[in-house]
Amino acid sequence: MKQLFPYYPIHIFPFCRYNKPMTILDVKNLNLGFNCENGFKQALYNVSFSLDKGKMFALVGESGCGKTISAMSILQLLPKTAKITGGEIIYDGKNILNCTRKEMQKIRGAKIALIPQDPMTSLNPLYTVGDQLLEVLKIHQNLEGKEAFNKAVDAFEMVQIPCPKIRLKSYPHEFSGGMKQRAIIAMALCCNAEILIADEPTTALDVTIQAQIMNILKKIKEQMKTAILLITHDLALVGENADEVSVMYAGRIIENAPANEFFQTPNHPYSIALLNALPSNKNKLLETIQGHPPSIHQIIHGCKFHPRCNYCMDICKQEVPQMFIIEQKHHSACFLNK
């Protein structure tokens, strides 16, 4: 199969002139690391993906694989020890990695909004939810008074919070976990953000509330044509909601495919192992992946998955596999495809 190097997501190339999705954000060959006590440690390696208008893109993998730090690079909300050493993040025709802090403040929240991982600690307990929502409208939309209040009410209605005029006067402790998450989504909606980054948006919520939150995100995607980056380790959520999937392992994207194709014909051994670990109704024992994901301090030559891979070959221990074309929009970084 033809090898791709450097790798860019296939849909940014003009294979088809019709029904081409509108790419709203491009992450190209992003490299990032951390200044540690024992030197600089690489965490992301040539991470590339793109977000299309009105589509949900899922970034999946085990904890510590680099999903959240990739998203935080877009928002430039990185720890002081983090350093981006290469790549571009193209939004609105420019590389936002070159934006000043003031320029990023105009983008962050207004154009690219974050739904954080923990709704329980994302709202200030000393202020009403309405006050916090109105502050967002004042900063990003320059709205105050009745106009701002009406827009806040509309946002609460969009995310299905009952009695919105009353609930805007409530404090965060008066909201359930699911309602807090909806309120945070409402803050992103009221600024008409073009991109939503949903970082584990259903963590600590029960299954029923999870479904409600994901239905709200799907509604936003379809009605407002918002691009959504879904960061999750829950493949069941991905299968039901995402349009495209990229799998990360040890700081690299190792498979990228349309969601339906990924679940029907996964290619990379790691992807296959993840899917085999999902519960099924076939009354079979759950399969597990041997070993643990490597930390950034571990030195592993070649493919970083090879110590855990049942298909490991000699070349896997010596060289890092690049992306190979499986289908037109399906790529996998595995020497089995060579």
Side-chain angles (χ1 to χ4, degrees):
M1 295 184 178
K2 186 178 178 181
Q3 189 173 6
L4 296 179
F5 184 79
Y7 165 63
Y8 295 100
I10 199 75
H11 58 261
I12 69 172
F13 294 107
F15 284 107
C16 181
R17 299 178 61 185
Y18 303 99
N19 299 320
K20 183 181 177 182
M22 178 180 174
T23 299
I24 197 168
L25 184 138
D26 250 335
V27 178
K28 299 181 179 180
N29 296 321
L30 181 66
N31 288 273
L32 177 146
F34 294 92
N35 292 310
C36 304
E37 291 181 358
N38 56 345
F40 184 80
K41 302 297 181 181
Q42 191 83 1
L44 297 181
Y45 302 82
N46 295 317
V47 171
S48 297
F49 59 86
S50 61
L51 305 181
D52 294 332
K53 189 172 184 178
K55 300 292 183 181
M56 185 180 292
F57 174 86
L59 203 53
V60 304
E62 292 171 281
S63 297
C65 70
K67 306 185 300 296
T68 296
I69 203 69
S70 298
M72 294 303 105
S73 299
I74 298 171
L75 294 167
Q76 294 191 31
L77 295 175
L78 296 170
K80 290 183 179 180
T81 56
K83 182 180 180 181
I84 293 175
T85 57
E88 298 178 306
I89 299 177
I90 306 298
Y91 170 71
D92 197 22
K94 63 182 179 180
N95 182 8
I96 60 176
L97 292 179
N98 297 328
C99 287
T100 64
R101 180 178 294 182
K102 191 172 183 180
E103 288 172 332
M104 277 306 301
Q105 286 175 345
K106 293 180 180 179
I107 294 174
R108 194 187 300 125
K111 301 296 183 181
I112 306 175
L114 173 67
I115 302 171
Q117 191 170 26
D118 187 2
M120 307 300 177
T121 58
S122 300
L123 295 168
N124 192 323
L126 301 179
Y127 296 91
T128 67
V129 177
D131 284 342
Q132 296 177 63
L133 190 69
L134 293 173
E135 183 181 9
V136 171
L137 286 167
K138 182 178 180 180
I139 293 172
H140 293 298
Q141 299 282 303
N142 198 27
L143 294 178
E144 294 185 82
K146 187 176 181 180
E147 186 179 4
F149 183 79
N150 289 338
K151 190 157 188 177
V153 170
D154 291 341
F156 265 30
E157 289 177 344
M158 179 71 178
V159 297
Q160 301 170 14
I161 292 180
C163 307
K165 292 182 180 179
I166 297 173
R167 283 299 187 176
L168 282 169
K169 300 176 183 178
S170 301
Y171 285 87
H173 73 269
E174 299 177 283
F175 276 34
S176 67
M179 287 182 67
K180 287 179 184 176
Q181 194 66 289
R182 295 181 196 203
I184 292 167
I185 295 172
M187 290 182 182
L189 288 180
C190 68
C191 291
N192 303 316
E194 295 182 300
I195 299 169
L196 283 182
I197 298 176
D199 187 4
E200 301 281 5
T202 58
T203 298
L205 303 177
D206 63 51
V207 176
T208 303
I209 304 301
Q210 283 184 12
Q212 293 174 2
I213 295 296
M214 293 309 301
N215 284 336
I216 289 170
L217 291 178
K218 286 178 70 174
K219 186 177 179 181
I220 293 168
K221 178 192 76 169
E222 294 166 0
Q223 295 186 2
M224 303 178 69
K225 302 302 178 184
T226 305
I228 299 177
L229 170 57
L230 175 65
I231 299 169
T232 184
H233 61 271
D234 190 337
L235 286 173
L237 285 182
V238 174
E240 294 170 359
N241 299 282
D243 299 291
E244 188 175 353
V245 183
S246 277
V247 181
M248 289 195 77
Y249 185 80
R252 298 180 189 273
I253 290 182
I254 51 91
E255 185 162 4
N256 176 260
N260 57 350
E261 190 171 330
F262 172 77
F263 283 92
Q264 291 173 8
T265 55
N267 179 270
H268 197 281
Y270 178 60
S271 302
I272 295 170
L274 286 178
L275 291 171
N276 285 340
L278 286 175
S280 70
N281 57 1
K282 298 179 181 178
N283 296 320
K284 67 174 184 177
L285 292 175
L286 292 180
E287 297 183 26
T288 59
I289 307 174
Q290 61 181 353
H292 302 280
S295 74
I296 61 173
H297 301 283
Q298 289 179 259
I299 298 175
I300 299 177
H301 297 289
C303 174
K304 289 200 173 187
F305 185 62
H306 86 254
R308 309 173 70 190
C309 183
N310 295 327
Y311 305 95
C312 179
M313 302 177 288
D314 288 340
I315 192 174
C316 303
K317 302 175 183 179
Q318 301 164 7
E319 298 180 25
V320 177
Q322 302 302 322
M323 283 288 186
F324 296 91
I325 298 176
I326 309 304
E327 296 291 343
Q328 184 176 340
K329 293 185 178 182
H330 189 174
H331 313 89
S332 178
C334 182
F335 287 119
L336 292 173
N337 301 305
K338 192 172 182 180

